[in-house]
Each structure stands twice: as structure tokens, then as C-alpha cells.
Amino acid sequence: MPPRMCPCGLPASYHDCCGRLHRGEATATTAEQLMRSRFSAFSVGDEAYLLRTWHPSDRPRRLGLDKRVTWVRLEVLETSGGSVVHTEGTVRFRAHYTERGRPGHMEEHSRFVRLDGRWVYAGVV
């Protein structure tokens, strides 16, 4: 059986791409990589990773992911900052999903910051 492709949209297996971040074997080096790994976490239902990568100032205690929603595809529309030399960055994206068999999408312009050397999600721009 071929390896499952990563939900984040990059041409790699989940195990070798976002799975490494979810398992704690690596950390995101850019804001975009963190955003992609968070999309993948929604896709695979990894609530613990989502909470770990959320800025503590507004992190919820729990998420309660909706099991009726399946996250199927990600489009990165725009990035600003967020590279290995930045301490802040933004990523605008469109996330596609199905809910009860019906397709949909949502767009967000997310803000990311480095906290103790690691990228974290800091909310919507």
C-alpha cells in the first residue's frame, strides 16, 4: 500500500511531512509550515498538536473537533514574513472541507509569532 499523502498539500507522505511535527520529531521552521501542519492536524484530528501550537494568551482549554467535518484540501493564497529570519508572519489560506457530504471552504488570514524560538498560531489578522 503506498504511503498516505500529507493533507497539507505538499508532495510528501504524511509520515515524512506534517507527521514529523505532530509526533514532536521536528518543529516548523516557517509560519507557513506551521499553518500547513495545523491544517493537517485538523484533517487527522490531532487536537493536542493544535493546542500545543496555539499562543497561550488565547489558547482554548480544548477544541472539541467536529467529527462531521472532513478537511480535504488546502490552498495557501499569500504569505508575509514568517521565514526562518522573522519573528512574525501571516498566512492567508483557503481550507476546503466536506460537512455531511456537502463541500465547503473557509478563508482565514492568520497571524503567527515566534514564542521561545517556536512558531505558534496567534489568531486572525
Side-chain angles (χ1 to χ4, degrees):
M1 175 184 270
R4 176 174 60 148
M5 293 305 290
C6 195
C8 81
L10 294 178
S13 71
Y14 169 73
H15 182 270
D16 294 334
C17 193
C18 292
R20 296 177 318 112
L21 281 71
H22 296 171
R23 292 187 304 273
E25 298 168 1
T27 58
T29 58
T30 66
E32 180 180 339
Q33 186 182 28
L34 180 66
M35 194 280 310
R36 286 180 179 277
S37 71
R38 286 176 56 81
F39 174 84
S40 290
F42 275 104
S43 183
V44 301
D46 191 341
E47 182 175 338
Y49 180 79
L50 292 164
L51 292 172
R52 264 193 327 271
T53 58
W54 205 310
H55 195 284
S57 67
D58 65 344
R59 177 177 47 221
R61 297 190 102 182
R62 58 183 305 267
L63 291 177
L65 299 175
D66 188 344
K67 300 207 185 298
R68 297 170 297 185
V69 176
T70 303
W71 297 96
V72 295
R73 186 167 62 90
L74 175 67
E75 293 177 82
V76 173
L77 305 173
E78 176 185 0
T79 63
S80 174
S83 78
V84 295
V85 299
H86 293 106
T87 57
E88 294 188 16
T90 65
V91 180
R92 192 168 64 84
F93 66 91
R94 182 178 299 127
H96 297 264
Y97 61 87
T98 59
E99 183 176 8
R100 298 181 180 167
R102 292 194 158 146
H105 72 273
M106 58 85 66
E107 287 190 24
E108 184 173 301
H109 195 178
S110 297
R111 184 171 161 266
F112 299 88
V113 297
R114 280 195 198 264
L115 182 66
D116 299 327
R118 293 182 176 218
W119 286 107
V120 293
Y121 171 70
V124 178
V125 174

